[in-house]
Amino acid sequence: MRDDSDKAPSSKRDTLRAWLGQARFFTEEVYSARYRGAIARARRDEDDLFMLLVFSEMMGVPNPASYYTLELQPLLLERFHDWHTRMGMEHSPLDHFRCC
Amino acid sequence: MSAVILLLVGLGAMALGYFLYSKFIAQKIYQLDPDFKTPAHEFEDGIDYVPTNRFVLWGHHFTSVAGAAPIVGPAIAVIWGWAPAFLWVVFGTIFFAGVHDFGAIWASVRNKAKSVGALTGDVVGKRARSIFMIVIFLVLLMVNAVFAVVIAGLMMNFPSAVVPVWGAIFVALIIGQLIYRRIMSLAVVSVVGVIALYALIGIGPMVPVQMPAEVAGMSGNAIWIIILFGYAAIASLLPVWMLLQPRDYINGLQLFIGLLILYGALVLLNPTLVAPAFNDNVPAGTPSMIPLLFVTIACGAISGFHGLVSSGTTSKQLNKETDARFVGYFGAVGEGMLALAAILAATAGFATFGDWQAMYSAFGQGGVNAFVEGGAFIIHNGLGLPQATAATLLTVMAALFAGTTMDTGLRLQRYIFQEWGDIYNQQWMKKPSLATALAVGTCLLLAFGAGGANGSGGLIIWPLFGTTNQLLAGLTLLVITVMLVRLRRPMWYTLAPLCFLLVMTILALLIQLRTFWNQGNMFLLVLDIVVLMAAILVAMECAAALKRSRAEMAAQGD
């Protein structure tokens, strides 16, 4: 008996929560789906510039912040391959920095 | 004639179109396959190719294609009486627009989600692709010029809407920041945004802003046009998340609320259509109904612009091929419903036939003003909202739509200039600011060149805009037809609308050619000739492409 009374409101709360979750999913999709591409592209452009800054020293462009950017290189390694292919270079542009 | 009966007949016919005709097209002609791997899955990248829930996708597709055009076109066309506009909207939606929009998604999905422009090159030929680029450029040019003229007219005629329309832009800017910086959740922002927008609409009539009739030797109208292009140029250069995205979202909410209010008031009031079914006493200078009706109402019956949206973004996000029917065909039905509301507002929203006649005193008059005044009359009498507030509400709805279209249109036109800069190796043309300046310059030239120094006559180009839009639709239908011929399926369901459109477009262009010649308007005469040449080239491409594909099929059959 007690179990039942406990169960009813919690299942009601669950349905409400599921319903709210669904509503939230729909509003967020409605807001973002149409512009997802444009925004992701803009972000990627900014990231590409950042990659260029981080790896600039290796291409012979002096970088006053190289002390800091050097630390970032291992973190950005995963993205390195995508970046150089997107920039139109089939292989790593850096002689001493092999990628593929 | 009771407006509610006409509404029910219209909605009923469109519902039948969706449940019966589109099902037939989906099963027998396009033969949709639920197991087909759509580009959204095949090339899924989280950026452009994202499988999307079909209701969400429909919402985007619908709000992208529904702008001010399905309001302006029908509201101009009721000058010939309500029956022609009503019939063309209903039958156009069922047999033309639905098949076209749905087909554009299908054709694109079956070809790696390529745009109609690219498909024209692949399926029809390179020459057709060049024509396609020119037609797109002309459509964008005209849409920007026309909508600037429409908004400027609204600002002059309804000074109460000035504060809410510009205020809405600030609301959108704030919403954009709130969401981008994750200060508030979307649900809260939606509620706050809608309340802010409607508060502005409530305040509008208390603080009307009237542009003086003449400023520095220019008319108030002309000043508004220049301000609007200045705004659109800046807006089109901003990142999309800052203004375009939040404004589109608010516009979408406003569209559904506005349509609900208008339809609710119509049903409660059940006004009588004061306009005649067929107006046999049209004002002097009104062109012949056939063929002009079919280019005056483009959006709402069939519009080539939809093909660009269908094949540009929608096809990349389609989760299942069978969703194309709901998204494409039902998207067209949604647009038809908007056009139907415009027709009813512009024909039933007047107290007497005399009032209506005074509004439609010449061809091109009435239009969106008739929609606002008629709609406000219906909302005022049906729901008891003050007439000034109701008029402000509808003006804001129309002006915000036209504004978003201008912003997007200018952005697309800039891309075209940048692409030309790339093709012809002109570095300066590739700069966003200079490409935008070129786009704005050409639009201003058209807005003022068409209607004289005060820019008020810019609506003369409305039918010309319709013709280019229909040409674009014709090219999309051609792509679908050629694909069907190659698949050995019946082609008449797309070929018949294609032939009808081409004949009406070419006839309309010839009639307008004579009108512009008689008026001595050399600027529009030249523009008309350019569009006419494009139309004839499209017609010849159609004949050649179909002949070629049929010959190929016959050779294969042997």
Side-chain angles (χ1 to χ4, degrees):
Chain A
M1 186 80 184
R2 220 181 133 194
D3 271 341
D4 273 9
S5 62
D6 262 5
K7 215 174 180 181
S10 84
S11 78
K12 242 183 210 165
R13 208 176 301 145
D14 283 350
T15 6
L16 190 68
R17 193 168 294 148
W19 194 83
L20 278 177
Q22 193 78 356
R24 198 178 149 160
F25 165 77
F26 270 100
T27 44
E28 277 179 9
E29 276 289 287
V30 165
Y31 190 82
S32 59
R34 187 166 166 194
Y35 294 101
R36 203 179 276 137
I39 289 172
R41 254 191 302 278
R43 193 194 141 152
R44 198 175 62 188
D45 282 350
E46 280 182 17
D47 283 350
D48 284 347
L49 184 67
F50 186 66
M51 287 294 270
L52 191 66
L53 285 174
V54 172
F55 289 92
S56 63
E57 197 95 306
M58 288 192 171
M59 284 179 270
V61 183
N63 181 1
S66 63
Y67 180 73
Y68 302 99
T69 54
L70 202 61
E71 264 186 68
L72 292 171
Q73 284 180 4
L75 300 173
L76 294 176
L77 215 55
E78 275 179 38
R79 287 197 232 150
F80 189 76
H81 176 71
D82 279 349
W83 174 67
H84 77 68
T85 47
R86 203 163 45 241
M87 295 296 112
M89 295 170 282
E90 220 175 293
H91 300 289
S92 166
L94 310 170
D95 287 339
H96 49 275
F97 197 88
R98 287 279 144 225
C99 172
C100 50
Chain B
M1 176 84 178
S2 140
V4 171
I5 293 178
L6 196 64
L7 176 72
L8 290 178
V9 171
L11 293 183
M14 286 190 219
L16 282 180
Y18 177 70
F19 288 113
L20 300 178
Y21 190 60
S22 83
K23 196 172 178 185
F24 163 74
I25 295 285
Q27 288 176 348
K28 301 281 181 231
I29 309 298
Y30 299 149
Q31 298 180 11
L32 303 185
D33 173 11
D35 299 322
F36 178 77
K37 196 173 184 190
T38 58
H41 288 284
E42 198 176 349
F43 310 113
E44 186 171 355
D45 62 357
I47 299 179
D48 293 312
Y49 299 88
V50 185
T52 306
N53 176 294
R54 66 181 179 143
F55 295 104
V56 173
L57 194 57
W58 176 81
H60 282 289
H61 181 79
F62 176 49
T63 43
S64 306
V65 298
I71 298 173
V72 181
I76 293 179
V78 291
I79 195 161
W80 291 295
W82 57 260
F86 174 78
L87 292 173
W88 171 229
V89 163
V90 171
F91 286 107
T93 299
I94 298 172
F95 294 106
F96 288 66
V99 176
H100 167 272
D101 299 9
F102 176 15
I105 300 181
W106 169 73
S108 176
V109 163
R110 285 276 160 172
N111 285 287
K112 302 190 162 108
K114 282 187 192 163
S115 71
V116 186
L119 278 182
T120 317
D122 291 356
V123 178
V124 186
K126 273 201 172 142
R127 248 189 346 240
R129 188 182 151 76
S130 313
I131 305 171
F132 192 84
M133 281 290 273
I134 295 170
V135 175
I136 286 189
F137 184 76
L138 287 173
V139 168
L140 291 173
L141 187 67
M142 288 190 204
V143 89
N144 289 337
V146 162
F147 281 179
V149 173
V150 167
I151 308 177
L154 284 171
M155 300 278 106
M156 288 302 279
N157 286 324
F158 302 99
S160 64
V162 174
V163 168
V165 166
W166 294 96
I169 292 165
F170 285 98
V171 171
L173 277 170
I174 295 168
I175 289 179
Q177 293 292 336
L178 288 178
I179 290 176
Y180 189 72
R181 303 190 189 286
R182 295 173 197 277
I183 297 171
M184 262 190 207
S185 80
L186 195 57
V188 181
V189 166
S190 315
V191 175
V192 172
V194 169
I195 291 174
L197 186 64
Y198 279 87
L200 281 169
I201 290 172
I203 295 168
M206 292 172 220
V207 278
V209 178
Q210 180 72 60
M211 180 70 77
E214 201 179 297
V215 185
M218 287 175 93
S219 72
N221 213 33
I223 299 282
W224 271 128
I225 293 177
I226 292 170
I227 293 176
L228 282 164
F229 272 113
Y231 153 75
I234 296 169
S236 71
L237 285 168
L238 290 177
V240 290
W241 64 263
M242 217 180 256
L243 182 61
L244 196 58
Q245 187 178 25
R247 209 180 50 184
D248 252 10
Y249 181 68
I250 287 289
N251 274 2
L253 291 178
Q254 152 91 353
L255 169 69
F256 288 111
I257 299 173
L259 266 182
L260 222 65
I261 292 178
L262 194 56
Y263 270 120
L266 252 173
V267 172
L268 286 176
L269 180 67
N270 190 11
T272 316
L273 299 169
V274 291
F278 293 92
N279 191 3
D280 40 17
N281 189 20
V282 288
T286 306
S288 154
M289 184 183 86
I290 295 174
L292 261 287
L293 169 71
F294 303 101
V295 295
T296 305
I297 305 182
C299 291
I302 178 169
S303 151
F305 194 69
H306 296 192
L308 299 183
V309 177
S310 301
S311 65
T313 48
T314 306
S315 62
K316 294 189 177 78
Q317 302 181 349
L318 202 72
N319 185 26
K320 265 172 32 187
E321 199 188 32
T322 41
D323 290 351
R325 178 180 160 219
F326 177 73
V327 175
Y329 200 97
F330 201 64
V333 169
E335 177 117 320
M337 279 165 66
L338 189 59
L340 199 57
I343 292 176
L344 291 173
T347 53
F350 295 88
T352 62
F353 175 55
D355 287 352
W356 183 80
Q357 239 177 351
M359 178 56 93
Y360 284 90
S361 56
F363 185 67
Q365 293 294 311
V368 70
N369 292 333
F371 165 75
V372 171
E373 283 189 14
F377 176 88
I378 293 171
I379 294 175
H380 169 62
N381 290 302
L383 296 176
L385 223 65
Q387 186 137 1
T389 314
T392 311
L393 179 112
L394 293 174
T395 310
V396 171
M397 189 165 132
L400 284 184
F401 268 136
T404 314
T405 312
M406 262 181 88
D407 177 340
T408 317
L410 218 54
R411 215 176 267 266
L412 292 174
Q413 227 184 336
R414 178 185 99 208
Y415 294 153
I416 293 184
F417 273 117
Q418 285 178 310
E419 204 175 313
W420 283 344
D422 204 31
I423 294 171
Y424 299 110
N425 209 8
Q426 299 290 322
Q427 290 303 322
W428 61 275
M429 229 196 218
K430 283 156 78 176
K431 288 206 176 95
S433 50
L434 289 177
T436 305
L438 268 181
V440 170
T442 46
C443 292
L444 279 176
L445 193 72
L446 183 59
F448 288 109
N454 69 358
S456 59
L459 268 185
I460 302 170
I461 55 173
W462 183 266
L464 208 54
F465 159 61
T467 51
T468 31
N469 206 350
Q470 305 300 48
L471 273 187
L472 205 57
L475 276 166
T476 309
L477 283 172
L478 175 63
V479 169
I480 305 169
T481 311
V482 171
M483 277 177 67
L484 289 175
V485 169
R486 290 194 181 156
L487 289 167
R488 296 175 189 279
R489 291 184 198 160
M491 59 174 180
W492 288 105
Y493 302 93
T494 48
L495 188 60
L498 168 62
C499 295
F500 180 84
L501 272 189
L502 279 181
V503 169
M504 288 303 162
T505 305
I506 291 175
L507 279 180
L509 282 165
L510 287 172
I511 288 181
Q512 284 176 289
L513 198 67
R514 204 181 59 189
T515 317
F516 296 144
W517 175 258
N518 288 342
Q519 287 170 349
N521 193 336
M522 285 304 139
F523 184 82
L524 289 183
L525 190 76
V526 172
L527 200 63
D528 191 298
I529 292 173
V530 171
V531 181
L532 187 62
M533 272 161 43
I536 291 170
L537 286 175
V538 170
M540 293 197 318
E541 280 295 335
C542 286
L546 286 173
K547 208 172 154 189
R548 206 167 47 228
S549 335
R550 295 195 68 158
E552 275 170 28
M553 286 301 108
Q556 273 179 25
D558 296 340

